[in-house]
Amino acid sequence: MKPTFTFELDRRNYVKRRESFDLEYKQSFQGGDNLLKYAKTLVGMANNKGGQIIFGIKDSPHLPIGILSRRWHETDPKKIDRIIREYFSQEIQWTAEILEFDGKDFGQITVLEAENKPLICKKNKDGLLREGAIYYRYRAETKEIEYSELRTVLDKENEKERLMWMQHIQKIAQIGPQNVSLFDTYKGEISVGNGRILLDKSIVDKLNFIKKGKFVESDEEGLPTLRLIGDIEGLVEPSVVMESDKLFPLLSTDLKERLELNSYEIQCIISKLKIKENNKYHTEISLGKKSQIHKYSEALIPLIERMLLRPDFMKECREEYGKKQKEKIKTTRSKKRK
């Protein structure tokens, strides 16, 4: 069932609400270079406070006529997603859906405010986009950002970072620098010297304050460890801890099942995309001197799915991985001969 939507109309049945910094109307949804224009508008809104584009509103005056062609239904949202990733510095959070009003269908694309600003255009495109440009949504218009708005965006980003540093510095001052080890709340890891400890979800759930802890010089493998004794209460605020299982919940076997690929194909793709070099998609957990577990984030699934839409992608992955394996074997044999 389609979500219902209500436009506030005047006595002539025109839409009352005007276009603004967070709203744009389009009479129809079109392909080609128009997809670049939509992406530009979405990025401009994300650089401001977010917003939406509604398709099916006639221009001058704004009359709700609905989507009349099939192009909206026939266009894969992944195509817009690819354009955004190709032309802009980072991904944005957006959704597309069909809304119903007065028996008519309307397209809606909604974008959230970007967490990290500004988003920057990465390359030129036929006079539509300019490399290095920062697009910003003004009242009923998306254009390159002006000085005052750019200054505001940068000041807010600097303030966010300043506040985070102040919080960390205050905590370090309370504990004493000599007693501080680094706790990565993003991955749920503690760095102790050259070692690394991954906190399991069962431990993270109890992290209120450390009641009693004892540092041990090394475990059986010679790696620095931290022994946690008794209930854990009081030093770390649990609301800021992101469980490692949530960030990197997937093993290679999970990737196989979710993507319906075999082990070799997964290895080929991971090698091709250099996934193990990207900490957004991958983390490595050491179990000992020579044993590691590779885990992957949920964000990797849609990335691979998008890449698999390319007709020759899997073939390229197999060929490149095959060449690397042959070179590796050749190098190993050469070393043995020496």
Side-chain angles (χ1 to χ4, degrees):
M1 184 176 177
K2 301 168 189 172
T4 57
F5 189 78
T6 301
F7 293 106
E8 188 177 356
L9 307 179
D10 63 18
R11 58 185 177 80
R12 296 173 296 177
N13 289 325
Y14 299 156
V15 178
K16 281 187 177 182
R17 187 180 174 189
R18 295 176 179 272
E19 291 181 314
S20 63
F21 73 92
D22 64 351
L23 176 65
E24 178 157 310
Y25 296 130
K26 294 291 184 184
Q27 179 166 322
S28 61
F29 181 86
Q30 301 175 346
D33 286 344
N34 287 286
L35 296 181
L36 284 167
K37 295 177 182 178
Y38 305 152
K40 176 181 175 181
T41 298
L42 294 174
V43 167
M45 290 177 172
N47 272 330
N48 195 333
K49 297 184 182 297
Q52 60 182 324
I53 307 174
I54 297 181
F55 298 88
I57 306 294
K58 186 178 179 180
D59 193 22
S60 298
H62 290 141
L63 184 67
I65 60 175
I67 297 175
L68 303 179
S69 73
R70 297 289 305 170
R71 192 178 295 275
W72 170 275
H73 304 274
E74 295 169 354
T75 301
D76 191 336
K78 293 177 181 177
K79 191 170 184 180
I80 298 177
D81 196 44
R82 284 196 297 270
I83 289 173
I84 293 170
R85 289 185 292 103
E86 180 180 356
Y87 286 95
F88 296 94
S89 59
Q90 65 192 62
E91 295 182 19
I92 56 177
Q93 297 182 33
W94 66 279
T95 57
E97 59 183 329
I98 290 288
L99 305 175
E100 185 176 342
F101 172 74
D102 194 26
K104 304 182 184 73
D105 287 345
F106 295 83
Q108 180 192 51
I109 301 181
T110 303
V111 62
L112 299 181
E113 180 178 358
E115 292 185 8
N116 301 303
K117 302 177 187 178
L119 289 85
I120 303 171
C121 184
K122 295 194 293 187
K123 59 182 183 179
N124 297 315
K125 177 59 178 176
D126 302 333
L128 297 174
L129 300 174
R130 185 179 68 81
E131 181 181 358
I134 298 171
Y135 295 106
Y136 191 82
R137 180 69 180 181
Y138 291 88
R139 184 176 295 276
E141 181 184 19
T142 302
K143 62 178 183 178
E144 291 192 30
I145 196 167
E146 296 179 1
Y147 173 78
S148 59
E149 286 74 28
L150 178 58
R151 183 72 271 166
T152 299
V153 168
L154 296 178
D155 286 346
K156 286 182 178 179
E157 290 299 303
N158 289 335
E159 180 65 10
K160 281 165 51 179
E161 185 173 353
R162 188 188 71 81
L163 290 174
M164 284 191 291
W165 276 111
M166 287 300 298
Q167 292 171 359
H168 294 322
I169 292 170
Q170 288 170 2
K171 290 179 181 178
I172 291 172
Q174 292 171 359
I175 299 167
Q178 72 278 9
N179 299 319
V180 173
S181 294
L182 296 178
F183 180 22
D184 184 343
T185 59
Y186 184 74
K187 292 185 179 180
E189 295 175 352
I190 300 176
S191 298
V192 183
N194 294 323
R196 183 173 62 169
I197 302 161
L198 179 69
L199 299 184
D200 187 78
K201 182 180 184 298
S202 61
I203 295 177
V204 172
D205 287 343
K206 295 181 180 180
L207 276 176
N208 293 325
F209 279 83
I210 294 179
K211 177 180 180 182
K212 189 182 295 183
K214 179 181 178 183
F215 281 95
V216 181
E217 291 297 328
S218 64
D219 62 6
E220 294 179 358
E221 297 289 341
L223 296 175
T225 63
L226 172 65
R227 179 184 298 159
L228 300 174
I229 304 172
D231 292 333
I232 303 167
E233 300 175 354
L235 189 62
V236 181
E237 172 59 44
S239 64
V240 302
V241 177
M242 178 66 76
E243 298 97 328
S244 59
D245 283 346
K246 286 187 178 179
L247 286 167
F248 301 98
L250 306 177
L251 298 169
S252 58
T253 52
D254 299 312
L255 298 180
K256 285 167 47 182
E257 294 175 4
R258 297 274 294 276
L259 296 165
E260 298 182 352
L261 299 171
N262 60 44
S263 298
Y264 183 74
E265 289 171 329
I266 292 295
Q267 291 177 27
C268 294
I269 291 172
I270 287 173
S271 174
K272 167 75 172 176
L273 300 179
K274 298 180 180 179
I275 297 300
K276 291 182 180 179
E277 299 175 20
N278 191 327
N279 59 14
K280 175 181 178 181
Y281 301 114
H282 168 267
T283 191
E284 181 180 299
I285 303 169
S286 297
L287 301 180
K289 287 183 177 179
K290 298 181 180 179
S291 180
Q292 297 87 28
I293 292 178
H294 296 278
K295 300 197 72 178
Y296 305 91
S297 69
E298 282 285 351
L300 182 58
I301 297 291
L303 171 66
I304 294 177
E305 287 176 338
R306 289 193 295 265
M307 298 305 294
L308 287 171
L309 293 174
R310 289 172 40 188
D312 297 328
F313 177 69
M314 196 67 249
K315 180 181 178 182
E316 292 174 6
C317 292
R318 291 194 193 97
E319 290 177 351
E320 289 188 19
Y321 187 72
K323 289 179 182 178
K324 287 181 181 179
Q325 292 302 103
K326 288 179 181 178
E327 291 174 2
K328 188 176 180 180
I329 293 171
K330 186 177 180 181
T331 302
T332 303
R333 288 176 178 173
S334 177
K335 287 181 180 179
K336 287 182 178 180
R337 291 194 191 107
K338 294 180 180 178

